[in-house]
């Protein structure tokens, strides 16, 4: 979803005045900007959850500092959509389209996890009964929808590869090129073409200096995480340890 700063600030103001409020599901960029805004509200605590560790889409609960965290619910629900897809290939987009086709807004839906015979979905809990009743087809295939619990999610194992690079500097173009396995000139082109984000924020300066913990995203090529700056080689190059998400 597009980041609506005014809407998030309104929720934070309400929390500062004593309410417990929830955001919709936010993508990584919006979640990062929300964390930035939270620094302006020291009287507000928050919880964040997307249903499982490292979920891409998450929702926040904002609440006054005097409220106990265990008293705050994020109202997450979980459904499983299954059908006979043996003769009909379906994708993440097909399942999402079917859900939105029932009239539900995109921001009420979290991550979708493909499973062998269907899909598991994180949604606003209030919508679970509606989806069970209304969602009956995905790409012309009849489906069954049932509620599941968090522990039943079949999470895919993340595929990663560690990359050790020796770079002259910690510039984004240099580190990014090593992480994605492309030339530095190509990385510069991608950065200036507004295809690169650092910590989910658009970055258009090839000279931007990265640091441990930074996540570099390149449209169409995935993500690279900077794990460690492990010293300097005898030739004066920085040894950088990266994690490439495949």
């Amino acid at each position: 979803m597009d980041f609506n700063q005014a809407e998030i600030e309104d929720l934070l103001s309400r929390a500062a005045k004593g309410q417990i409020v929830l955001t919709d599901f936010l993508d990584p960029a919006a979640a990062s900007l929300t964390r930035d805004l939270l620094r302006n509200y020291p009287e507000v605590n928050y919880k964040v959850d997307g249903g499982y560790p490292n979920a891409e889409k998450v929702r926040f609960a904002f609440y006054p500092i005097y409220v106990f965290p265990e008293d705050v619910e994020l109202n997450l629900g979980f459904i499983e959509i299954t059908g006979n897809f043996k003769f009909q290939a379906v994708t993440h987009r097909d399942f999402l389209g079917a859900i939105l086709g029932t009239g539900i807004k995109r921001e009420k839906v979290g991550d979708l996890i493909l499973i062998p015979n269907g899909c598991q979905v994180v949604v606003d809990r209030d919508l679970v009964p509606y989806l069970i009743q209304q969602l009956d087809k995905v790409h012309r295939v009849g489906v069954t929808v049932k509620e599941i619990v968090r522990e039943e999610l079949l999470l895919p194992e993340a595929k990663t590869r560690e990359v050790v690079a020796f770079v002259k500097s910690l510039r984004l173009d240099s580190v990014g090129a090593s992480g994605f396995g492309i030339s530095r000139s190509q990385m510069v082109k991608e950065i200036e073409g507004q295809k690169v984000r650092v910590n989910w924020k658009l970055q258009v300066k090839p000279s931007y200096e990265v640091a441990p913990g930074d996540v570099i995203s390149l449209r169409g090529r995935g993500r690279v995480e900077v794990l460690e700056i492990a010293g300097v080689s005898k030739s004066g190059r920085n040894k950088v340890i990266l994690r490439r998400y495949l």
Side-chain angles (χ1 to χ4, degrees), residues 54-121:
N54 300 316
E56 181 167 302
K57 289 189 175 293
V58 298
R59 76 187 313 184
F60 287 75
F62 304 139
Y63 56 95
I65 56 175
Y66 53 79
V67 172
F68 292 111
E70 54 268 29
D71 293 333
V72 178
E73 288 282 342
L74 281 109
N75 206 42
L76 298 182
F78 307 88
I79 61 171
E80 183 171 278
I81 307 167
T82 54
N84 183 5
F85 296 104
K86 184 176 181 180
F87 303 105
Q88 177 64 63
V90 285
T91 65
H92 176 284
R93 181 175 295 181
D94 293 318
F95 285 102
L96 179 59
I99 292 170
L100 301 185
T102 67
I104 289 176
K105 294 182 179 180
R106 178 64 181 93
E107 56 265 30
K108 299 298 181 183
V109 182
D111 283 2
L112 287 78
I113 303 165
L114 294 179
I115 59 176
N117 60 336
C119 183
Q120 296 176 328
V121 191

Side-chain angles (χ1 to χ4, degrees), residues 114-139:
L114 294 179
I115 59 176
N117 60 336
C119 183
Q120 296 176 328
V121 191
V122 185
V123 297
D124 186 296
R125 185 188 298 157
D126 294 342
L127 298 176
V128 170
Y130 176 82
L131 284 167
I132 290 174
Q133 183 179 37
Q134 297 294 323
L135 183 57
D136 58 2
K137 285 186 179 180
V138 173
H139 208 299

